[in-house]
């Protein structure tokens, strides 16, 4: 039995796919041969249907499984349609997009089966039986009808077979990512933010009788430490671990145990996600002592109204400020994540986000334009309000180029300005220069009409550059775009090992 995974990841950062690596690990443990086509320009594998054809025919698989993100679905379908012209094997779509829109994906003639939710056991069962009927988490078509089977309980992740790192050229990924290596120590999140897939996943399992609280699961500390030791012994050039868990710091006891074990194994730093509503001094101390280099918090918006009414995030700006105060008190470098272009967001709401960043003074902040993922409540909110430009949406590969939201002329224009000049605004409203030069430039930018902005944005960028230079010469800290075009980093941060 031979399974081929195809991971379309075009016009996107080079990536490692946890789902494929977990499933491949389980299949291999059962003696099933697995292969991967990692279709991403940065690994030297662009979308080239002839090349894919040669590789598919060489591997000659019995099953083909695509891991599909919403923005990559069009590429997955293009590849799948082409494969069907020369090879007649079942094609399965799994991953986030089929989970969020199972029936929409199955309606595509080229998709034989889908896997909804976590796929390890379902995929193995399907590959073994060959017939999808009665297999939980699997969807298929029969006599013109779409059938999506109920979900099985959440899989206990402790003591699972090891992830299959080898199926990717993992050394190439480490090198391309400048030594940063992603890991997960847990699965699930107890919160239900409207823009995130977690509420949908919980609802899917709950509808089939599984308790939402069983969603949050954790690997044992032994497993995580064992995986780190394995990676360090097998690959070179690792400079940083990134824990991609939704909330790494949730279990205090686990974190305390992990902290002691981690620092005994390696001096390499790590990055993790925390939640402003559940962050305290003990967590900050454990993170610091373990060697945490960046602790990241999702803020999304500085507007209490948008956070509460649109995003379903129940925390105040004071909670957020307190979490950053605690983290800074322990010498942790902090990262704040925000979005602009949210449903019902006005220019004033976006200014609240600017002002919150200026108040909490994170080590860095990262911004993106909101994208309404199908299947989420935020999508429903935006769709119901007629706020989605579907034509523009279908052309987007990422969340940084432009917004597909229709928020009104002023809000859309301000989102566009922030996209390129977020640092200017945070510097201005944080009084970075003390003389108000950033603030007056920010106010000028804010007042520009669309045509003025188009005409003047390059000269404003030059003015901003001069201001930044002045700050640098005077040894005064400010936020500048660094490492990627959507990240503002404090200029006095000189440790370039923290580049992601
Ligand atoms: S806290 Fe983060 S991971 Fe959890 S539901 Fe909200 S956005 Fe998703």
């Amino acid at each position: 039995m031979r399974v081929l995974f195809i991971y379309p990841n075009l016009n996107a950062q080079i990536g490692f796919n946890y789902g494929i690596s977990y499933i491949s690990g389980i299949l291999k443990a059962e003696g099933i041969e697995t292969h991967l086509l990692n279709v991403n320009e940065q690994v030297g594998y662009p979308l080239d249907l002839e090349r894919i054809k040669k590789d598919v025919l060489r591997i000659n698989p019995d099953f083909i499984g695509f891991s599909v993100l919403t923005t990559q679905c069009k590429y997955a379908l293009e590849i799948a349609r082409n494969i069907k012209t020369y090879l007649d094997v079942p094609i399965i779509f799994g991953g986030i997009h089929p989970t969020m829109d199972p029936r929409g994906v199955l309606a595509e003639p080229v998709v034989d089966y889908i896997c909804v939710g976590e796929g390890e056991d379902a995929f193995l069962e399907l590959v073994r039986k060959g017939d999808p009927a009665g297999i939980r988490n699997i969807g298929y078509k029969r006599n013109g009808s779409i059938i999506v089977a109920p979900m099985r309980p959440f899989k206990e992740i402790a003591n699972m077979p090891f992830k299959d790192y080898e199926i990717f050229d993992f050394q190439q990924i480490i090198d391309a990512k400048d030594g940063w290596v992603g890991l997960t120590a847990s699965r699930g999140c107890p919160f239900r933010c409207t823009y995130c897939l977690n509420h949908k996943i919980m609802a899917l399992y709950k509808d089939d009788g599984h308790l939402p609280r069983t969603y949050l699961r954790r690997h044992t500390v032994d497993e995580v430490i064992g995986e780190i030791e394995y990676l360090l012994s097998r690959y070179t050039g690792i400079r940083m671990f990134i824990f991609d868990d939704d909330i790494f710091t949730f279990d205090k006891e686990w974190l305390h145990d992990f902290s002691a074990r981690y620092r005994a194994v390696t001096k390499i730093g790590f990055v993790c996600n925390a939640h402003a509503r559940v962050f305290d001094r003990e967590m900050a101390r454990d993170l610091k002592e373990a060697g945490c280099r960046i602790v990241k918090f999702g803020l999304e918006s500085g507007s209490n109204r948008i956070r509460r009414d649109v995003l379903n995030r129940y925390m105040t700006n004071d909670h957020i400020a307190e979490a950053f105060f605690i983290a800074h008190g322990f010498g942790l470098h902090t990262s704040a994540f925000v979005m602009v272009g949210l449903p019902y967001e006005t220019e004033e709401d976006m200014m609240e986000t600017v002002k919150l960043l200026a108040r909490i003074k994170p080590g860095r902040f990262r911004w993106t334009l909101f994208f309404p993922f199908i299947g989420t409540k935020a999508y429903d909110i935006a769709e119901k309000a007629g706020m989605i430009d579907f034509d523009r949406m279908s052309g987007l590969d990422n969340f940084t180029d432009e917004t597909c939201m229709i928020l009104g002329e002023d809000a859309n224009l301000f989102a566009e300005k922030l996209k390129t000049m977020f640092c200017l605004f945070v510097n201005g409203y944080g009084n970075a220069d003390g003389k108000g030069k950033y603030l007056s430039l920010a106010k000028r930018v804010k007042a520009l009409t669309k045509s003025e902005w188009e005409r003047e944005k390059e000269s404003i960028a030059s003015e901003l550059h001069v201001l930044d230079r002045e700050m640098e010469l005077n040894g005064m800290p400010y936020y500048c775009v660094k490492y990627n075009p959507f990240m503002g980093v404090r200029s006095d941060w000189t440790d370039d090992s923290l580049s992601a």
Side-chain angles (χ1 to χ4, degrees), residues 190-299:
F191 295 104
R192 289 173 169 77
C193 307
T194 56
Y195 53 94
C196 177
L197 47 97
N198 279 318
H199 69 80
K200 170 80 174 191
I201 294 175
M202 267 192 272
L204 280 173
Y205 281 81
K206 190 166 168 241
D207 287 351
D208 291 329
H210 310 301
L211 293 174
R213 67 179 156 76
T214 56
Y215 184 34
L216 192 56
R217 294 143 295 157
R218 199 165 272 291
H219 285 292
T220 63
V221 171
D222 274 353
E223 283 179 299
V224 179
I225 295 295
E227 191 163 346
I228 287 167
E229 286 174 329
Y230 167 84
L231 289 166
L232 291 173
S233 67
R234 192 159 185 105
Y235 300 103
T236 58
I238 297 177
R239 296 194 307 132
M240 190 71 67
F241 288 107
I242 320 169
F243 286 98
D244 281 326
D245 307 51
D246 289 338
I247 305 174
F248 182 70
T249 52
F250 217 34
D251 183 333
K252 275 177 90 162
E253 218 174 290
W254 187 99
L255 182 65
H256 190 66
D257 191 13
F258 168 81
S259 160
R261 297 280 306 281
Y262 184 86
R263 66 177 178 255
V265 166
T266 179
K267 296 279 173 286
I268 291 174
F270 67 89
V271 177
C272 66
N273 295 311
H275 194 283
R277 201 68 179 89
V278 280
F279 192 73
D280 61 23
R281 293 171 57 80
E282 287 77 34
M283 290 174 185
R285 182 179 297 115
D286 280 337
L287 288 177
K288 184 67 186 175
E289 287 180 358
C292 175
R293 305 301 305 281
I294 309 179
V295 56
K296 302 193 283 182
F297 295 91
L299 313 187

Side-chain angles (χ1 to χ4, degrees), residues 360-386:
I360 62 175
K361 299 185 172 38
R364 62 185 60 196
F365 60 94
R366 192 172 184 146
W367 63 93
T368 186
L369 296 165
F370 168 73
F371 182 90
F373 283 102
I374 191 159
T376 62
K377 284 186 183 147
Y379 176 97
D380 295 342
I381 292 169
E383 189 196 25
K384 207 166 151 200

Side-chain angles (χ1 to χ4, degrees), residues 293-295 297 324 327-328 332-336 357 360-366 478-480 482-483 487-493:
R293 305 301 305 281
I294 309 179
V295 56
F297 295 91
F324 278 78
H328 293 157
L332 289 162
H333 185 75
T334 54
S335 176
L357 289 170
I360 62 175
K361 299 185 172 38
R364 62 185 60 196
F365 60 94
R366 192 172 184 146
Y478 61 102
Y479 287 104
C480 52
K482 204 169 178 181
Y483 307 133
M487 186 184 287
V489 183
R490 272 181 65 110
S491 58
D492 53 357
W493 183 261

Side-chain angles (χ1 to χ4, degrees), residues 347-348 351 409-411 413-415 417-418 421 424-425 429 438-457 460:
E347 198 176 339
E348 287 66 42
M351 276 307 301
E409 219 172 286
D410 290 348
L413 177 58
F414 194 50
K417 290 172 182 172
L418 280 180
M421 303 234 159
L424 163 65
F425 279 86
Y429 286 84
Y438 281 120
L439 184 57
S440 50
L441 184 57
K443 284 183 172 168
R444 228 175 80 209
V445 170
K446 193 164 178 289
L448 294 176
T449 62
K450 192 168 172 47
S451 55
E452 288 168 342
W453 165 246
E454 287 306 327
R455 204 170 50 239
E456 293 181 35
K457 62 184 173 192
I460 288 168

Side-chain angles (χ1 to χ4, degrees), residues 26-43:
I26 285 198
L27 296 184
K28 277 187 176 170
E30 296 294 317
I32 296 166
E33 192 180 319
T34 62
H35 297 265
L36 169 72
L37 303 183
N38 185 8
V39 186
N40 173 277
E41 303 87 346
Q42 293 185 48
V43 292

